Amino acid sequence: MTVTWEDLGWERVAAGVGRCRLPVWDCTIGLVAGEGAVLMIDAGSSLAEGAKLGAQARALTGHRVTHLALTHPHFDHVFGAAALPDTEVFGAVGVDALLTRVRDREELREDGVRQGLAAPTAQEAAERLVPPGHLVSGEWTLDLGGGRQVLLANVGPGHTAHDLAVLVPGDPEVVFCGDLVEESGEPQAGPDAVPSHWPAALDRLLDLGGEDAVYVPGHGAVVDAAFVRAQRDALAARFGVSR
């Protein structure tokens, strides 16, 4: 029997492209299926969550996750990565050092616990953090086979110093925004945010996708270009950034 996106609680965004919203922190996970290759976008907040996502990806596509793109280095997006073995991991330049340094791992662990993640779960995930083996400084095209190509774009800084977006060409085009865009609440600007550059990062997202693209936030419902543009203007006003 064929498993559909809806059967597993995923939302089909375009042909071969879907996303799910994880419980607790409403974090978005993306999935793009090629021919024998599968890209996952972010990995969840724990090793158990990452393993579950990997199993769902195989059920939906018939293949294991072969590529993983980390949109930014926050615990709810990266802690599940180690549960996806033999995966090529991509991230923005600089995120590898952050996920390797002991003090940064400890800060991620502490942040997870502050946000409600069980301490042993956070400790295990922090100890097994997987830094990207492929670093994107500008744009990187992935060929997933079967005519499916995906563009990884280093569009930050903004929400963090290391923001990566994913463009999936097609009809419609789909842009996975990470937490540069949030729909279910006001965009969160923590101590690692770079507010002065955030509106410009959203301009780059809009340049990537264009007016008719579907934009998938890091948290919340799928939005359109008008929403991204309005959030860009709100961030510029909030942080006093001249455009």
Side-chain angles (χ1 to χ4, degrees):
M1 184 173 116
T2 302
V3 176
T4 68
W5 298 97
E6 293 76 16
D7 289 337
L8 297 181
W10 288 66
E11 176 185 356
R12 181 183 179 275
V13 182
V17 184
R19 71 83 175 251
C20 69
R21 294 167 67 173
L22 297 176
V24 185
W25 295 284
D26 190 29
C27 176
T28 284
I29 303 297
L31 198 65
V32 185
E35 189 174 288
V38 177
L39 168 67
M40 183 172 284
I41 301 155
D42 288 334
S45 61
S46 68
L47 294 172
E49 204 162 56
K52 181 179 179 179
L53 290 166
Q56 290 181 340
R58 183 181 287 274
L60 288 167
T61 68
H63 301 282
R64 68 174 181 85
V65 175
T66 55
H67 301 74
L68 173 65
L70 301 177
T71 62
H72 62 286
H74 284 168
F75 82 92
D76 50 333
H77 295 259
V78 303
F79 267 6
L84 301 168
D86 303 317
T87 302
E88 294 188 50
V89 184
F90 295 78
V93 165
V95 77
D96 56 327
L98 189 149
L99 295 181
T100 302
R101 288 191 295 261
V102 172
R103 67 176 183 275
D104 291 314
R105 288 175 178 242
E106 178 62 14
E107 286 178 6
L108 282 176
R109 184 198 67 78
E110 291 175 353
D111 187 41
V113 173
R114 278 195 302 270
Q115 299 294 331
L117 192 63
T121 300
Q123 181 69 36
E124 180 186 26
E127 289 174 352
R128 293 179 57 188
L129 267 173
V130 176
H134 303 287
L135 301 174
V136 183
S137 59
E139 296 180 349
W140 189 313
T141 300
L142 289 181
D143 190 343
L144 301 180
R148 171 76 77 186
Q149 291 190 327
V150 175
L151 183 71
L152 309 181
N154 185 338
V155 296
H159 176 65
T160 72
H162 312 290
D163 292 310
L164 189 74
V166 179
L167 169 67
V168 187
D171 185 17
E173 295 199 326
V174 181
V175 182
F176 288 91
C177 307
D179 286 6
L180 286 167
V181 178
E182 296 192 41
E183 185 277 334
S184 54
E186 186 175 76
Q188 298 301 299
D192 57 345
V194 188
S196 61
H197 290 270
W198 201 332
L202 296 193
D203 281 331
R204 287 191 281 275
L205 286 181
L206 290 164
D207 288 341
L208 274 178
E211 196 62 29
D212 297 324
V214 170
Y215 292 86
V216 184
H219 302 266
V222 170
V223 300
D224 59 12
F227 181 95
V228 177
R229 191 173 298 107
Q231 194 155 98
R232 175 203 63 192
D233 293 343
L235 285 167
R238 174 180 167 188
F239 298 123
V241 178
S242 176
R243 296 195 64 256

